[in-house]
Amino acid sequence: KENELLLEQTRSKETHRTNTTFLSKLKKFKPELLFSEIDQEFLQQLARYMKEELKNNDNTMFKTISYIM
């Protein structure tokens, strides 16, 4: 039980960190965003921003975009 609790706490911290990082990138790219604005063109622009401006590698970019999809 203690190991399971520790694992869950670790996951929760990592999930929180991942979500915070994702939201930070999204807010830097587009501070105000409506759900209706999220389309293929938006995703392509976000990917380009992450590669060119943030210098993220392909894996980071794909993983980040997967949170939206």
Side-chain angles (χ1 to χ4, degrees):
K1 282 270 186 200
E2 288 182 36
N3 288 341
E4 290 177 18
L5 182 59
L6 183 58
L7 181 60
E8 188 60 37
Q9 289 173 343
T10 302
R11 277 192 209 143
S12 296
K13 288 178 185 178
E14 184 61 25
T15 300
H16 178 73
R17 187 186 70 77
T18 300
N19 291 343
T20 301
T21 300
F22 165 71
L23 288 174
S24 176
K25 288 179 184 182
L26 199 55
K27 285 179 181 180
K28 286 178 185 175
F29 176 67
K30 187 160 176 72
E32 294 187 24
L33 177 66
L34 301 173
F35 280 110
S36 61
E37 296 176 294
I38 300 173
D39 58 10
Q40 188 65 30
E41 181 180 344
F42 171 81
L43 295 175
Q44 289 172 342
Q45 291 172 353
L46 177 59
R48 196 172 312 115
Y49 166 77
M50 289 172 43
K51 284 192 74 134
E52 295 173 4
E53 299 295 322
L54 301 180
K55 307 297 185 207
N56 289 156
N57 65 38
D58 287 342
N59 287 340
T60 301
M61 180 193 60
F62 290 127
K63 184 176 180 181
T64 302
I65 288 180
S66 74
Y67 292 117
I68 296 177
M69 301 169 70

